[in-house]
Amino acid sequence: MIFKIKFFLTLVFCFFILLSCQKKLVIKEVVFDNSSLEKININSANKEIIISYNSSFEEPYIEHVMNISPTDRVVSWLENNIYTFGTLNKLVIDVQDASISQKEIDGEIEVAGIIKKQKEYLYEIFFKIEFILYDESNQVLAKTNTKVLHTKTSDTFISINEKESILDNLTLSALQDLSRKTYELLKIHMSDYIL
């Protein structure tokens, strides 16, 4: 009888040891580095950045819960990577949208051939920026809009660190796409004014 109790306690002890040895999820920190984004040189005497986008504190928008909002990330890129040279013209950059939202959706996963329905979060980030180049008499020389939409899904039950990582990764990938598309569009629409 004592042997059975010791054996049972040993099994329980081993079970808890094995349970505690589960793989720990390590979340890598997302590094925002403007030097890895596109650099653009525009023939303009000065540059003006306007933020016409107003953040919403209502659902489904969640940029107010982030440490650094997508708007701040875009403005940082525009300030550090859009260079002006020359003595004529004025470049006006209007950040019209830099929203990030979270919506609950129904998702499906397949486990061993069985489809299970589950709730998921859908994260969407949307950037819209307008570039207008004016001459010295305030006439529009060139104009273009850049829009980017990125999405990602996650489980509804995740840690705060996982959520922050998802939002930062989503912001970074959208910002990389935004800088690439902006460069391409400015080369097309403002080719006479870009180096």
Side-chain angles (χ1 to χ4, degrees):
M1 176 75 174
I2 292 176
F3 177 73
K4 288 182 180 181
I5 292 173
K6 284 183 180 181
F7 180 73
F8 178 73
L9 289 176
T10 305
L11 279 177
V12 170
F13 181 71
C14 290
F15 173 74
F16 283 115
I17 288 176
L18 290 174
L19 186 65
S20 67
C21 293
Q22 288 184 9
K23 182 179 175 182
K24 183 178 178 183
L25 178 64
V26 178
I27 299 173
K28 292 183 180 179
E29 185 178 342
V30 180
V31 178
F32 287 88
D33 183 14
N34 285 333
S35 65
S36 66
L37 302 174
E38 294 290 338
K39 294 164 188 61
I40 303 167
N41 295 303
I42 298 179
N43 186 0
S44 174
N46 57 38
K47 154 180 83 173
E48 180 183 347
I49 299 173
I50 301 169
I51 304 170
S52 61
Y53 171 67
N54 293 320
S55 295
S56 177
F57 294 98
E58 298 177 3
E59 287 188 10
Y61 300 103
I62 59 171
E63 59 260 13
H64 59 277
V65 302
M66 297 176 69
N67 291 331
I68 300 175
S69 71
T71 304
D72 294 337
R73 299 284 187 199
V74 168
V75 169
S76 174
W77 168 67
L78 293 171
E79 288 174 345
N80 295 315
N81 290 42
I82 306 288
Y83 304 105
T84 58
F85 65 93
T87 57
L88 300 174
N89 306 332
K90 177 173 91 172
L91 177 66
V92 176
I93 304 168
D94 185 9
V95 180
Q96 296 178 341
D97 200 336
S99 61
I100 190 163
S101 63
Q102 171 186 302
K103 300 171 188 163
E104 193 172 292
I105 59 169
D106 291 324
E108 293 181 349
I109 58 170
E110 186 174 338
V111 178
I114 299 171
I115 296 176
K116 292 184 176 182
K117 293 193 177 210
Q118 68 176 20
K119 297 281 185 190
E120 292 181 323
Y121 282 133
L122 173 68
Y123 299 100
E124 286 185 339
I125 187 166
F126 180 67
F127 288 128
K128 181 180 178 187
I129 301 177
E130 183 176 53
F131 295 85
I132 306 172
L133 187 64
Y134 294 97
D135 66 9
E136 54 278 356
S137 61
N138 248 7
Q139 297 295 317
V140 175
L141 295 171
K143 180 179 179 180
T144 188
N145 286 311
T146 306
K147 297 177 187 176
V148 171
L149 173 68
H150 279 235
T151 62
K152 183 157 181 73
T153 59
S154 80
D155 291 334
T156 52
F157 299 108
I158 57 173
S159 70
I160 293 172
N161 289 338
E162 287 177 285
K163 183 175 180 178
E164 287 176 0
S165 177
I166 288 170
L167 294 176
D168 284 345
N169 276 311
L170 186 61
T171 303
L172 180 60
S173 67
L175 192 56
Q176 290 168 336
D177 195 22
L178 178 72
S179 73
R180 187 175 52 257
K181 283 187 177 180
T182 297
Y183 182 70
E184 292 169 2
L185 287 170
L186 289 177
K187 278 184 78 172
I188 293 169
H189 299 286
M190 296 186 187
S191 60
D192 295 339
Y193 307 100
I194 291 199
L195 268 184

